[in-house]
Amino acid sequence: MLAFIAKRLAMGVGLVLLVLTLIFSALHFVPGDPAVLLLSVGDGGAPTPEAIEKVREQLGLNQPLFAQYLHFLGGVFTGDLGDSFKTSQPVLEAIGARLPRTLLLVGFATLLSVVFGVALGALAGRKGGWVDTCVTALSSIGVALPVFVFGAVLILVFSISLKWFPAGGYVDFAEDPGGALWSLTLPAISLAVGFSAQIARMTRSAVLEVQGQDWVRTAKSIGLAPLTVFRKHVLRNSLTPVVTVIGIGFGTLLGSTVLVERVFNYPGMSSLLVDGVTNRDYPVVQGIVIVIALMFILINIVVDIIYGILDPRVRRS
């Protein structure tokens, strides 16, 4: 098991270096000079060649490309992602202030997705018939429904018409946990609907496959109660592939928050990313892309390790 974990960690480090190299290449080979972009922020007019050269020297852009690459890697691994062009605030500090809010939203949405997705998928696989048909139809709608459309419908029904939930905004979890979760309910449901549909589909397929295995028929033939057989022998063995879907889906949810945070006016990391793109604040954009990429890789490593723990065949392969 330790060899399997060490192998996955080594692959993760290699993947991190590959992703950072791609980000560095994208920033240096796309059209446009960062120094010109920096000096173009605001209404100061066209920058002079002397001013551009001075900024290039300050940013280290006049150094050889390999030296810039090493400086870039050194900054990432020491937590120095530069300063915002617009606010002069360290990028890592700006991300650190927004990241917990986005993680809270994504974590809440993941919890809802797992609870409802596994429950509906297990119900459809066990009952079959019209229950299976209804769950399959609902999951198809959930996968196809855009998050921003569903979010707008939720605001119209539950905020404007029924006035049960706030239409948006932010409540500090440390000051008012209950109010924070209440205000996050609609955004989290918007994020969760598509993800829970995917989990329901995967759980249903896994349950149908496991129910046909010999050991399940043996358990039924020796007189065990059907619910006990399903809970101990079917559902438990069906959840192994679902773990992989949950891990990948968590990373996908991070990307989906860009739309949801805008719809619900939620000041998370995705809103900071949109502001960075709007203001051409490329250190902020670069920093957020790096953080999201590193988180996605970390999540996949953890999922692979959990998968290896649940299924020994994965370790042997």
Side-chain angles (χ1 to χ4, degrees):
M1 186 64 200
L2 290 177
F4 174 74
I5 294 175
K7 182 179 178 182
R8 289 301 300 127
L9 291 176
M11 292 174 63
V13 171
L15 192 56
V16 166
L17 289 175
L18 176 62
V19 169
L20 291 178
T21 303
L22 291 175
I23 294 174
F24 175 83
S25 302
L27 290 173
H28 283 75
F29 292 107
V30 296
D33 189 333
V36 176
L37 291 177
L38 174 59
L39 293 171
S40 299
V41 174
D43 300 324
T48 63
E50 293 77 12
I52 294 174
E53 187 58 34
K54 183 177 180 181
V55 171
R56 287 179 61 82
E57 184 177 351
Q58 290 174 346
L59 296 177
L61 297 175
N62 55 354
Q63 296 179 7
L65 193 61
F66 187 68
Q68 294 183 49
Y69 176 67
L70 293 179
H71 183 264
F72 169 75
L73 290 182
V76 172
F77 288 114
T78 57
D80 181 11
L81 299 179
D83 297 334
S84 166
F85 285 171
K86 184 173 178 61
T87 64
S88 299
Q89 182 185 22
V91 171
L92 193 62
E93 186 178 309
I95 294 176
R98 301 290 193 96
L99 183 59
R101 303 174 187 177
T102 296
L103 290 180
L104 179 62
L105 171 60
V106 174
F108 193 13
T110 302
L111 178 63
L112 294 177
S113 303
V114 172
V115 170
F116 288 100
V118 171
L120 290 174
L123 188 64
R126 182 166 183 260
K127 295 289 186 182
W130 67 270
V131 176
D132 187 14
T133 303
C134 290
V135 171
T136 303
L138 288 175
S139 62
S140 298
I141 295 173
V143 170
L145 198 61
V147 293
F148 60 94
V149 173
F150 192 62
V153 172
L154 290 178
I155 291 176
L156 181 64
V157 175
F158 294 102
S159 297
I160 298 177
S161 298
L162 299 176
K163 301 185 185 307
W164 289 355
F165 297 94
Y170 169 71
V171 177
D172 193 341
F173 185 81
E175 296 179 358
D176 184 6
L181 293 179
W182 190 253
S183 68
L184 277 176
T185 300
L186 294 187
I189 292 175
S190 299
L191 275 178
V193 63
F195 190 23
S196 59
Q198 295 176 19
I199 294 176
R201 283 183 167 187
M202 177 59 72
T203 305
R204 172 187 172 275
S205 300
V207 166
L208 290 175
E209 181 180 349
V210 173
Q211 280 187 141
Q213 299 296 322
D214 292 338
W215 76 78
V216 176
R217 287 195 288 269
T218 302
K220 290 179 180 177
S221 66
I222 61 176
L224 291 178
L227 185 60
T228 302
V229 173
F230 182 79
R231 184 169 52 84
K232 288 188 174 180
H233 299 283
V234 177
L235 186 58
R236 182 178 296 177
N237 289 286
S238 302
L239 293 180
T240 305
V242 178
V243 172
T244 304
V245 175
I246 294 172
I248 297 173
F250 188 87
T252 306
L253 287 185
L254 280 174
S256 301
T257 56
V258 173
L259 296 172
V260 172
E261 289 186 2
R262 276 295 172 182
V263 170
F264 290 92
N265 192 28
Y266 186 74
M269 190 171 65
S270 297
S271 296
L272 182 65
L273 174 63
V274 174
D275 292 338
V277 173
T278 304
N279 296 317
R280 293 187 294 179
D281 197 347
Y282 97 90
V284 171
V285 177
Q286 169 190 284
I288 293 176
V289 171
I290 290 172
V291 169
I292 291 177
L294 295 182
M295 288 180 61
F296 196 83
I297 293 171
L298 178 62
I299 290 169
N300 277 279
I301 292 174
V302 172
V303 169
D304 283 350
I305 292 174
I306 294 175
Y307 201 19
I309 294 172
L310 294 176
D311 190 347
R313 293 173 298 179
V314 176
R315 300 200 299 269
R316 289 194 293 269
S317 65

